[in-house]
Amino acid sequence: MHIARKVFREDHEMFRATVRRFVERECVPRQDEWDEAGRVDREVWRRAGQEGLLGVILPEEYGGGGGDFGHAAVMAEEIARANVSGPGFQVHSDIIAPYIARVGNEEQKRKWLPRACSGELILAIAMTEPGTGSDLKSIKTTAVKEGDEYVINGSKTFISNGLNADIIIVVCKTDATAGARGMSLIVVEADREGFRRGRKLKKVGQHAQDTAELFFDNVRVPSSNLLGEEGMGFRYLMGELPQERFSIAVSAAARLEAALDHTLAYVKERKAFGHTVWDFQNTKFKLADIKAQAVAVRLMIDHYLAEHMKRGLTLQESAIAKLFSTETLGKALDEMVQLHGGYGYMLEYPIARSFVDMRVSRIYGGTSEVMRDLISRQL
C-alpha cells in the first residue's frame, strides 16, 4: 500500500515471515480439498501448534507465545492476504482462549490452555441460538444446578469450529428470570453424554469453515466447569467482544488490499475491444476510489491496533473499526467483481472467493446495524 506502517516491531515482522511460510506451505495448496470436505483436517491444527502459531497472545506459562495483539494481527493479515478460509485459528486463539485465560481459575487454565496452544484441543464458543441472532440477552439455553453439577439444555447455531471442537464454552442462563444478569459461561467437553453436533451448515462462502449446529440434551458437567462467576457471563462477553470485532476489522483491511492487488493485475492484462480493461477511464476511476478507501481503512486499523496493543479498545472504537472496514470492503469487492466481468463470478479467481467469503463480515461478530447502534449511543 506504500504506507510506512509503524505499528509493528521487529519481532512482529519475524513472526510474519513464519506465518507466511506456514500459510503458503500448509494452507494454500489444500484450500480446494478443505472446501470439498467442508472442514479443515486436525493435522493442520497440530502443525500450527508445533510452529507456535496457536495461542500466540497467551502467557508462556500456559503454553502460549507470550505475545501481544500485534502478533495476532499479523496472523490475521497473512491468512486474509493469502485468501485462505477454513482454519479457525483466530476464533480459537484470539476470541475463545482469552475467556479461559482471563476469567478461568488456575486449574482450568492449566487443564485446557496448553493443549489448545499445541493444537490438541480445538475450541469453540456457543453464543448464537436459532431465535436470537445478535440479541444475546434473549438466549434460552439453560444450565440448572443439581448438586455439584450443571444440567444443560438448549441448542446453538452458526458455531465456528463446531464440528472439530473438543471443548465448547456455552453461553447459557443459570437464572432464567434475571435477564443479562442470569447468564453464565460453562465449558462443555464434546464427549459429554447428551451433547450432539447437528448438520454442517451450508453457507454462501467460507465452505471450509466448519460452522455447525450444536444440541444439549440434559448434558451434565461438573460445577468446576463454570468459567468465572455465575451470572457474570454477559459482562465477560462484553469485555471480550471488542477484540473479536477488531480482529474481523483487521482481516477486512488485509482482504481489501489483497483484492485491490489482484484486480489491478487482472485489468492490466485482460483485453476488451482492442484495449486492456485498465485503459478505460471508468476502470481507473473506480480503482482510484478503492485505493483511497483502502488507505483510509489501513490508517484507521493501524491507529486502533496501536491503541489496542497499549490499553485495549473501547466498545465504540471496535464498533467503528468493524463497521467502516467491513462495509468499505463489501462495496469495493462488488465493484472489483464487476471489473472482472464473467470471470469475477468464477470461484477459481481470488476476487470471487473474497466476494463470497467476506460477505459475512458485516454479519458475524455483531451486524453492521448493531455496530451503528453501539456507535450512536455515545453521539
Side-chain angles (χ1 to χ4, degrees):
M1 293 301 294
H2 308 295
I3 296 172
R5 301 185 66 189
K6 300 178 181 179
V7 68
F8 293 117
R9 302 185 301 267
E10 183 179 356
D11 60 304
H12 292 131
E13 296 303 341
M14 291 173 63
F15 181 64
R16 185 186 301 280
T18 299
V19 176
R20 184 169 295 182
R21 284 194 302 270
F22 179 87
V23 171
E24 290 177 351
R25 184 183 71 245
E26 302 289 349
C27 300
V28 173
R30 306 176 73 183
Q31 183 67 62
D32 290 341
E33 171 192 334
W34 291 340
D35 286 341
E36 288 294 323
R39 65 201 297 179
V40 172
D41 59 277
R42 296 185 68 95
E43 182 58 32
V44 77
W45 284 86
R46 287 188 284 270
R47 290 177 183 171
Q50 290 168 2
E51 297 207 21
L53 305 186
L54 301 178
V56 67
I57 63 174
L58 299 178
E60 292 182 52
E61 62 185 299
Y62 302 117
D68 56 28
F69 193 78
H71 296 92
V74 165
M75 185 87 171
E77 288 182 358
E78 290 305 311
I79 290 175
R81 285 206 179 97
N83 234 23
V84 166
S85 65
F89 299 155
Q90 290 166 257
V91 175
H92 172 93
S93 297
D94 308 334
I95 296 172
I96 305 170
Y99 284 102
I100 301 173
R102 290 172 187 168
V103 305
N105 58 40
E106 190 65 20
E107 181 182 354
Q108 291 169 334
K109 293 175 186 178
R110 296 199 178 279
K111 181 179 180 181
W112 292 316
L113 290 180
R115 291 189 292 159
C117 293
S118 70
E120 181 183 350
L121 283 184
I122 297 175
L123 311 181
I125 187 165
M127 296 189 203
T128 307
E129 297 182 1
T132 63
S134 297
D135 185 10
L136 287 175
K137 295 179 183 179
S138 298
I139 65 165
K140 293 183 170 54
T141 296
T142 59
V144 178
K145 192 80 173 289
E146 290 188 5
D148 61 354
E149 292 182 318
Y150 285 103
V151 182
I152 302 174
N153 283 281
S155 62
K156 300 288 184 176
T157 193
F158 308 145
I159 308 305
S160 299
N161 295 344
L163 295 180
N164 277 334
D166 300 291
I167 64 172
I168 303 102
I169 298 176
V170 181
V171 181
C172 50
K173 290 280 183 72
T174 44
D175 184 346
T177 66
R181 291 178 179 160
M183 294 171 62
S184 301
L185 305 183
I186 299 177
V187 173
V188 174
E189 296 92 346
D191 58 359
R192 293 279 175 184
E193 185 176 352
F195 170 72
R196 179 170 61 88
R197 307 177 205 264
R199 62 195 174 98
K200 192 261 183 196
L201 300 175
K202 295 182 179 179
K203 307 183 299 298
V204 171
Q206 298 194 12
H207 299 139
Q209 169 56 250
D210 58 297
T211 310
E213 299 171 318
L214 304 179
F215 300 95
F216 306 84
D217 184 12
N218 290 321
V219 177
R220 291 181 174 271
V221 299
S223 56
S224 59
N225 278 22
L226 174 71
L227 276 184
E229 298 179 35
E230 194 172 283
M232 293 289 287
F234 190 75
R235 181 176 294 184
Y236 298 147
L237 291 171
M238 292 304 101
E240 297 300 328
L241 279 173
Q243 181 160 293
E244 175 180 351
R245 289 164 178 162
F246 187 60
S247 181
I248 295 169
V250 169
S251 293
R255 280 273 189 161
L256 177 54
E257 292 165 352
L260 178 55
D261 287 342
H262 287 305
T263 302
L264 283 167
Y266 176 83
V267 298
K268 290 180 179 181
E269 180 180 317
R270 176 70 174 169
K271 295 288 185 66
F273 305 104
H275 302 275
T276 66
V277 175
W278 171 250
D279 289 329
F280 297 103
Q281 188 182 63
N282 176 70
T283 303
K284 293 177 180 178
F285 282 11
K286 292 284 187 185
L287 293 178
D289 283 342
I290 293 171
K291 170 70 174 184
Q293 293 158 8
V295 169
V297 169
R298 170 53 57 211
L299 293 173
M300 168 186 277
I301 295 302
D302 279 7
H303 169 74
Y304 280 142
L305 177 55
E307 291 297 301
H308 189 42
M309 287 163 62
K310 290 187 295 186
R311 61 173 177 79
L313 288 180
T314 67
L315 203 61
Q316 186 187 49
E317 288 169 336
S318 65
I320 290 170
K322 182 180 186 295
L323 176 67
F324 186 69
S325 62
T326 59
E327 288 289 333
T328 301
L329 172 64
K331 293 168 186 174
L333 285 173
D334 188 70
E335 294 279 13
M336 289 187 281
V337 166
Q338 194 71 18
L339 289 174
H340 278 73
Y343 291 104
Y345 205 60
M346 301 294 109
L347 281 174
E348 64 194 86
Y349 280 76
I351 197 66
R353 179 176 291 278
S354 287
F355 183 71
V356 296
D357 281 353
M358 297 307 291
R359 179 59 183 87
V360 73
S361 66
R362 288 178 274 170
I363 298 172
Y364 62 15
T367 64
S368 290
E369 289 70 31
V370 169
M371 297 303 101
R372 292 183 177 104
D373 181 62
L374 290 171
I375 295 165
S376 69
R377 292 177 191 179
Q378 295 187 38
L379 295 181

